[in-house]
Amino acid sequence: VSLRFNPNVSAKTHPYISTGLKKNKFGLEEKEIIEVVKHCDRLRGIRMKGLSIHIGSQILELSALEMSFKKIAELCLKLNGILELKKQKPIQLVDLGGGIGIPYRPSEKAIAIEQYTRTVQKIFGSWMGPPITLGFEPGRVLVGNAGILLTELLYKKSRGKKKFWIVDAGMNDLMRPSLYGSFHEIASIVKGSKTEKNIDIVGPVCESSDFLGLSREIREPHSDFPFLAVMSAGAYGMSMASQYNSRNRPAEVLVSGDQWHLIRRRDELEDHWEQEIIPWDLEQEG
Ligand SMILES: Cc1ncc(COP(=O)(O)O)c(C=O)c1O
């Protein structure tokens, strides 16, 4: 087995995606892991093979990751001492999790992969313990900025100074803005001539939290092609999408050079009840 260590390090990210603090539900504290390892020779069929951490997602500060790497390295050496006394093999795998943030706004500075690898090297480059394999679980940084959500501008509506652009994508398709208050850049694909200010780009779901962007300044789309691109939707987009409000989840299209492929079909109405089960006696009652 591998055990997930909660190093009590703040990832300085949104609290909902911070997972490495004592107050978060994830992992085991150092003393709990030591306790397990002290008993591992009595756990038949179980061998202590690895340790892992994942302190959160969308991390933009290397110092938080560095601190957690230091802590897992120290714990690994401590555990090896206990395992040696118990004539057990040392830890073989140290999994450093994911968490590398991406720029959602052009002005945002994310961690460069080279900086990340230098930090890993700083902690593990001169590793003195028995050989280990390092594990990595990057998610968002690989795919976040490789995906966009396309949506059609259906109509515009004003209330006093407030302006709304109602689009056909909603919080069920991209949940991040309503769940975390996250910012996603939004741009017209074929730009018209006029720029509008202070626009809320909202979806068709019956919640006031159903927005993709608030108070935006945006060039309106050309009337022949009324589509907007919601950027950085490649991670935590479709994976968090739902059929809430009986809405069909969108299709997914993979674009490679000048080729495109449908890689997931759009939901159909039947998909909404496909997994539902009618108990036999209710069926009898008609
Ligand atoms: C255990 C674990 N590893 C890796 C990841 C991927 O994280 P990210 O997309 O921030 O790289 C997550 C995300 O929730 C996770 O829970």
Side-chain angles (χ1 to χ4, degrees):
V1 292
S2 283
L3 297 179
R4 179 164 171 173
F5 171 40
N6 181 326
N8 195 26
V9 170
S10 168
K12 296 182 191 136
T13 184
H14 191 286
Y16 292 3
I17 47 173
S18 175
T19 55
L21 282 171
K22 218 173 174 167
K23 66 178 180 190
N24 303 129
K25 68 181 177 183
F26 301 89
L28 299 169
E29 289 183 78
E30 177 169 324
K31 63 174 190 294
E32 292 170 314
I33 292 185
I34 289 177
E35 206 49 38
V36 172
V37 171
K38 275 185 181 163
H39 289 88
C40 68
D41 53 344
R42 278 189 269 148
L43 302 170
R44 273 206 316 137
I46 291 189
R47 190 149 62 77
M48 184 63 205
K49 269 191 124 169
L51 269 184
S52 73
I53 43 165
H54 175 74
I55 63 167
S57 197
Q58 187 53 18
I59 298 170
L60 296 172
E61 287 196 30
L62 257 181
S63 56
L65 289 166
E66 186 175 338
M67 178 57 76
S68 67
F69 297 169
K70 253 189 213 153
K71 287 197 166 189
I72 197 173
E74 281 164 14
L75 180 59
C76 184
L77 293 175
K78 235 182 237 180
L79 297 186
N80 280 345
I82 303 170
L83 289 165
E84 200 179 349
L85 285 177
K86 301 210 164 265
K87 301 198 171 28
Q88 301 265 314
K89 281 192 186 159
I91 299 289
Q92 292 167 29
L93 170 73
V94 173
D95 182 335
L96 301 179
I100 308 170
I102 59 167
Y104 281 93
R105 306 169 194 252
S107 61
E108 218 159 28
K109 232 177 144 259
I111 297 170
I113 295 293
E114 294 75 16
Q115 291 175 298
Y116 178 86
T117 50
R118 266 200 297 275
T119 305
V120 174
Q121 240 166 357
K122 194 168 145 190
I123 310 295
F124 293 97
S126 53
W127 182 248
M128 302 299 273
I132 47 167
T133 298
L134 288 178
F136 301 93
E137 302 174 6
R140 187 190 311 258
V141 72
L142 299 181
V143 289
N145 276 327
I148 58 174
L149 171 68
L150 290 188
T151 185
E152 184 172 359
L153 173 58
L154 299 176
Y155 61 98
K156 297 176 178 177
K157 172 172 166 174
S158 302
R159 179 166 311 124
K161 281 190 186 154
K162 196 104 210 132
K163 284 185 241 164
F164 300 99
W165 286 9
I166 289 101
V167 297
D168 71 346
M171 63 190 288
N172 70 296
D173 302 304
L174 182 66
M175 202 189 188
R176 297 188 71 256
S178 35
L179 184 61
Y180 311 126
S182 308
F183 179 94
H184 284 258
E185 250 197 293
I186 302 176
S188 298
I189 294 169
V190 180
K191 292 181 173 65
S193 53
K194 218 169 85 200
T195 297
E196 290 193 38
K197 282 186 179 167
N198 203 18
I199 298 161
D200 287 1
I201 295 150
V202 300
V205 174
C206 60
E207 305 254 358
S208 291
S209 59
D210 180 32
F211 57 83
L212 297 172
L214 297 176
S215 304
R216 296 297 174 89
E217 179 173 329
I218 184 165
R219 269 270 285 282
E220 65 172 9
H222 196 282
S223 53
D224 290 347
F225 198 78
F227 291 91
L228 303 172
V230 184
M231 312 302 275
S232 314
Y236 306 103
M238 183 53 100
S239 59
M240 292 177 97
S242 75
Q243 294 171 326
Y244 179 48
N245 250 222
S246 299
R247 283 171 47 80
N248 289 338
R249 283 168 300 180
E252 283 188 289
V253 173
L254 177 75
V255 179
S256 173
D258 58 1
Q259 308 268 310
W260 63 271
H261 308 272
L262 184 70
I263 53 168
R264 183 191 166 108
R265 67 161 173 80
R266 194 186 300 276
D267 278 350
E268 289 166 3
L269 196 55
E270 289 72 20
D271 294 326
H272 291 258
W273 56 78
E274 197 192 13
Q275 284 166 321
E276 289 178 13
I277 296 163
I278 300 175
W280 177 82
D281 47 348
L282 271 182
E283 214 174 31
Q284 287 284 304
E285 287 164 22

